[in-house]
Structure formats: structure tokens, C-alpha cells
Amino acid sequence: MQLISKQSQQHQQQISNSIVEIPVFSSSSSRSSCWISSRKMRTAAIALFYVGLWVSSSSLVLGKRYMRCELARKLLEQHSFERSLLSNWICLLEHESELDTSKVSTTSNGSRYGLFQISSRHCQDGRRGGVCNVRCQDLLEENLRDAAACAKRIQAEEGFRHWNGWQRYCRNTQNLPNLKVICGI
């Protein structure tokens, strides 16, 4: 019985150390072979899997680039933005983030996140915090709930002057989009 189990162990060892032929094609289209042990191949495959998993999870920010009228309707209907200020918001968002929820900008005062380009003093990296008690990463999502609430709070406390894009391009009412004509809002 011990002889059988010893032979079985030797057989398993031979299999795990076996050599596998993998065809490799060079740029000159000539065919050659490369010999790799199955143990090394398994280790490489596992390492590649974990690297792929790490890369995909570290960049798992699902953002969206909105069209002007689509965003105007969403802010008005789903997030209760005031109709009278909607043109100011759309102008601001076009110049701050180009209507892209996943935009991150770095300035001398820190980073700005998401559609509303909310500064890092209003959010916290990795956990809820800052003035708006929100994770900075949550401001990059297509779901605008946290970002919209934070932006409305900033606007109520500091006004649109908080955003350089608004001061530079939208302060003059002649520069504001006429959403009634453009979008039927």
C-alpha cells in the first residue's frame, strides 16, 4: 500500500514538473517553440490574473459625459435645482468639467472632483468627510446625488463666485445658455 502511494506521489510530482510546449510566433512569422514548466506557467497566469484584477479595480470609476439638455433636465427633475439658476449651473459645468462626471483637476489649492469640480476641502479621500461629509471618489460617479447636494450647499454658502469657471465665463448673463430655447426647459 505504501508502495502505491509512494508511486502516486512520484507520478504527481512528475506531472507538476512536466514541460509544456507553447508555440511562440515572432514578428517574422517564423514558428518556434518555447519550453516552459507548467508550475512557472501557472504562477505567471495567477500573477497576471491578480495584476489585471488590481488594475481594473483601482480605476473603477464609472463616470459619464452629459449632453447639455440631458443634464439640465436631470438637475431640474431629479435633483431639484432651481429653474431660475439652471442656466448658471449649465454654463458653470460646461466650463468647469466639460459636463464630465469623472473629471479630476489638480490646482495649487488641492484637487477638484467631478462634474461640479468640488474642491478637496469639501470632501475626504477614502472616507466621508470635509465640509460636505462626502468621499471625494463619490463625486466622480454618474449618480449625482452627493455631488449635487454638495454643489448646492457651496452655492448657498458662497454663491457661484466659488467657481472660477463661472466667474470667468458665466457672470455676464449674456453668456448664459437660453435653455428654454435650446432644450425647451
Side-chain angles (χ1 to χ4, degrees):
M1 188 104 145
Q2 286 181 343
L3 181 64
I4 293 173
S5 67
K6 196 170 195 176
Q7 286 177 343
S8 176
Q9 288 174 350
Q10 287 175 343
H11 182 65
Q12 286 178 343
Q13 184 68 26
Q14 287 174 345
I15 291 173
S16 66
N17 289 334
S18 66
I19 306 288
V20 176
E21 182 179 353
I22 300 174
V24 176
F25 299 97
S26 68
S27 59
S28 64
S29 297
S30 66
R31 191 168 174 206
S32 62
S33 295
C34 178
W35 296 91
I36 301 174
S37 75
S38 63
R39 181 178 293 161
K40 287 181 183 177
M41 191 165 69
R42 242 183 313 199
T43 303
I46 290 170
L48 186 60
F49 170 76
Y50 282 114
V51 166
L53 187 63
W54 175 73
V55 167
S56 67
S57 68
S58 67
S59 60
L60 190 62
V61 174
L62 301 175
K64 177 174 180 161
R65 187 174 184 129
Y66 283 95
M67 299 298 292
R68 177 190 272 177
C69 296
E70 172 192 19
L71 182 58
R73 283 187 186 87
K74 185 170 186 147
L75 295 178
L76 187 63
E77 296 166 4
Q78 295 178 15
H79 300 287
S80 305
F81 277 65
E82 292 180 42
R83 186 180 302 271
S84 62
L85 298 177
L86 201 54
S87 290
N88 282 280
W89 282 111
I90 294 299
C91 181
L92 168 124
L93 298 174
E94 286 177 337
H95 290 94
E96 287 284 331
S97 67
E98 299 168 344
L99 306 180
D100 185 357
T101 63
S102 63
K103 183 170 183 180
V104 177
S105 304
T106 305
T107 67
S108 58
N109 297 334
S111 296
R112 294 183 167 269
Y113 297 89
L115 183 67
F116 296 94
Q117 289 294 281
I118 294 172
S119 70
S120 52
R121 78 180 167 98
H122 291 92
C123 62
Q124 183 80 31
D125 269 332
R127 63 183 177 88
R128 296 183 78 80
V131 175
C132 292
N133 192 31
V134 67
R135 287 179 353 125
C136 295
Q137 293 78 6
D138 293 343
L139 301 174
L140 302 173
E141 295 177 358
E142 185 178 342
N143 179 341
L144 300 178
R145 188 187 50 147
D146 290 333
C150 186
K152 286 165 56 173
R153 179 178 179 172
I154 294 167
Q155 194 276 329
E157 292 174 2
E158 302 177 39
F160 286 112
R161 294 181 310 276
H162 171 79
W163 289 277
N164 293 331
W166 183 86
Q167 289 200 55
R168 194 170 187 191
Y169 300 102
C170 309
R171 187 169 40 181
N172 183 347
T173 57
Q174 292 177 344
N175 294 338
L176 299 178
N178 185 343
L179 297 175
K180 190 172 190 173
V181 172
I182 298 168
C183 305
I185 294 177

